Amino acid sequence: MSHKEDNEEKSRCHRTDLYASIPRTCLPIVYHPDYNITFMGLEKLHPFDAGKWGKVIRFLKEEQFINDGNLVEAREAAEEDLLVVHTKRYLNRLKWSLVVATITEIPPLLFLPNFLVQRKVLRPLRTQTGGTIMAGKLAVERGWAINVGGGFHHCSSDRGGGFCAYADITLAIKFLFERVEGISRVTIIDLDAHQGNGHERDFLDDRRVFIMDMYNRYIYPGDEYAKRAIKRKVELDWGTEDSEYLQKVELHMEGTLNEVLPDIIVYNAGTDILDGDPLGGLSISPQGIIKRDELVFRAAKRRGIPVLMVTSGGYQKKTARIIADSILNLHRQGLIEGDAAEGEGSSPNSSPPTF
């Protein structure tokens, strides 16, 4: 895309609450209690721990790393925000409970009126999507940001699947391209156990986006068409363990960042690589996951590249503790700051200006 076209794209931006100014007194960690999905136990019909995001926050509070006053409160992505990437036809299809039941892999949802599905299932996912978009801007401003949710990497502009109803990664990147000066190259490092076919389909012909994807070659989704977008593809075998895994992460991540120096890294940090995960099929230890995240942040910091991290897949009850431990380790290693800067500004819950 030319500089002129880039400027024209920025001039067409709609007004949004998601790029509101965030006080410097807040850490660039984004969360909202609405992330968690609870509805008559139906969420238990999917192996995903639909309350894991709140547990991560609870663990971080117990360690006195964060508190309610220095968290960034996520905002729900509005329809206009979603239309930056999604087609109107796709969003209209989400008004059918059968479609949402298929995408989330929770069959009983098809029997519920859609207003309940919207409120109890899709609103939490829209709020996490808003959180990812917000974290993109924060990462550029602060050098790093973590959305404790998000990472819906199976959803593209016109199709969802694998518990992913909104394309938050694509949306965050498109918002950055449209609204933030100096962002013209993005690298996605997708280390979830599954192929990230959603963002791959969306950026198939976009030379501004470099995708590294490392996943179990034998599991969902096996999307051969989407694989054409992967610039550095690393396919793993069943039961891959720490030593081989971490060696490949470091080798291919360094190769990726040496090939193209991006303006920001979007890091999809799925924990479904954990040994025993019912869907991931890999055998990585909790310590291996913590080390993996450290490798990504260390490589980015060494090059001065901002990082947006999303938590993506992870289907065991213990994954929340591992995510929290990894964030605490990043702080101990000096890769993220633990104290929000003193500064003036309204509280994160006050009414923001829109852009």
Side-chain angles (χ1 to χ4, degrees):
M1 178 179 288
S2 70
H3 185 66
K4 180 181 177 182
E5 289 171 326
D6 189 48
N7 286 336
E8 288 175 353
E9 188 175 329
K10 286 179 169 62
S11 71
R12 293 195 299 268
C13 294
H14 70 283
R15 291 174 63 84
T16 181
D17 287 340
L18 300 180
Y19 264 28
S21 179
I22 301 296
R24 297 291 300 185
T25 50
C26 290
L27 287 169
I29 296 177
V30 186
Y31 171 73
H32 194 288
D34 285 353
Y35 280 15
N36 303 288
I37 299 172
T38 55
F39 184 53
M40 297 168 54
L42 287 178
E43 70 280 358
K44 296 177 182 175
L45 297 175
H46 191 282
F48 201 99
D49 178 3
K52 80 172 183 180
W53 308 284
K55 294 173 187 172
V56 173
I57 295 298
R58 190 181 82 232
F59 292 139
L60 292 175
K61 286 179 177 178
E62 288 173 357
E63 298 291 338
Q64 299 184 335
F65 180 67
I66 58 170
N67 57 62
D68 288 333
N70 64 13
L71 270 177
V72 176
E73 187 173 271
R75 297 173 180 272
E76 180 182 350
E79 182 170 335
E80 267 201 311
D81 299 320
L82 299 172
L83 285 169
V84 169
V85 166
H86 289 294
T87 63
K88 185 75 172 177
R89 179 176 178 273
Y90 174 72
L91 295 180
N92 284 335
R93 289 184 65 231
L94 295 179
K95 296 174 182 176
W96 293 89
S97 296
L98 172 60
V99 172
V100 180
T102 302
I103 289 171
T104 60
E105 301 171 353
I106 305 175
L109 289 181
L110 70 91
F111 299 112
L112 298 179
N114 191 258
F115 79 91
L116 283 178
V117 173
Q118 292 287 331
R119 185 187 309 160
K120 295 294 188 177
V121 179
L122 292 181
R123 182 184 293 169
L125 300 182
R126 285 194 297 268
T127 305
Q128 292 191 41
T129 296
T132 300
I133 296 169
M134 293 170 70
K137 177 172 178 280
L138 275 168
V140 174
E141 294 172 347
R142 309 287 185 86
W144 65 277
I146 297 171
N147 182 17
V148 174
F152 305 131
H153 65 157
H154 298 307
C155 187
S156 61
S157 63
D158 61 355
R159 55 188 274 182
F163 203 75
C164 303
Y166 301 106
D168 68 315
I169 291 175
T170 305
L171 279 158
I173 293 171
K174 292 278 191 180
F175 266 68
L176 288 168
F177 283 151
E178 290 179 1
R179 296 171 184 267
V180 179
E181 292 295 331
I183 302 296
S184 60
R185 293 187 305 274
V186 175
T187 290
I188 300 171
I189 297 178
D190 194 334
L191 300 184
D192 187 273
H194 300 81
Q195 176 199 352
N197 61 320
H199 57 73
E200 288 162 10
R201 283 176 170 264
D202 286 334
F203 293 118
L204 190 62
D205 298 313
D206 195 328
R207 296 168 65 182
R208 299 173 296 176
V209 179
F210 188 105
I211 299 174
M212 169 186 162
D213 199 351
M214 183 161 144
Y215 54 87
N216 183 338
R217 72 174 77 219
Y218 298 111
I219 61 174
Y220 176 89
D223 190 334
E224 295 298 328
Y225 178 78
K227 286 180 185 179
R228 294 163 49 201
I230 305 172
K231 303 296 194 301
R232 187 167 285 250
K233 178 173 62 177
V234 189
E235 297 190 322
L236 302 172
D237 292 320
W238 291 109
T240 298
E241 296 181 348
D242 285 17
S243 178
E244 177 187 352
Y245 180 82
L246 293 172
Q247 185 179 26
K248 286 184 174 179
V249 167
E250 187 164 24
L251 173 68
H252 290 284
M253 178 180 59
E254 292 291 334
T256 290
L257 298 177
N258 288 338
E259 184 171 344
V260 175
L261 189 68
D263 300 308
I264 187 171
I265 293 168
V266 178
Y267 172 37
N268 197 46
T271 47
D272 50 1
I273 63 172
L274 182 64
D275 187 25
D277 189 278
L279 301 181
L282 303 176
S283 299
I284 311 304
S285 70
Q287 295 75 23
I289 291 173
I290 291 168
K291 183 63 178 177
R292 174 200 68 175
D293 295 348
E294 181 185 329
L295 287 171
V296 174
F297 273 76
R298 194 173 295 283
K301 186 159 189 173
R302 194 166 64 245
R303 293 170 171 84
I305 307 169
V307 181
L308 159 59
M309 171 176 156
V310 289
T311 58
S312 201
Y315 304 92
Q316 299 184 69
K317 298 295 183 185
K318 55 189 172 185
T319 58
R321 179 77 252 183
I322 296 168
I323 294 168
D325 286 345
S326 181
I327 293 171
L328 293 169
N329 178 65
L330 293 174
H331 175 232
R332 281 193 301 270
Q333 298 297 325
L335 299 171
I336 62 175
E337 300 81 17
D339 296 314
E342 292 297 326
E344 294 181 358
S346 57
S347 74
N349 298 321
S350 61
S351 297
T354 54
F355 296 91

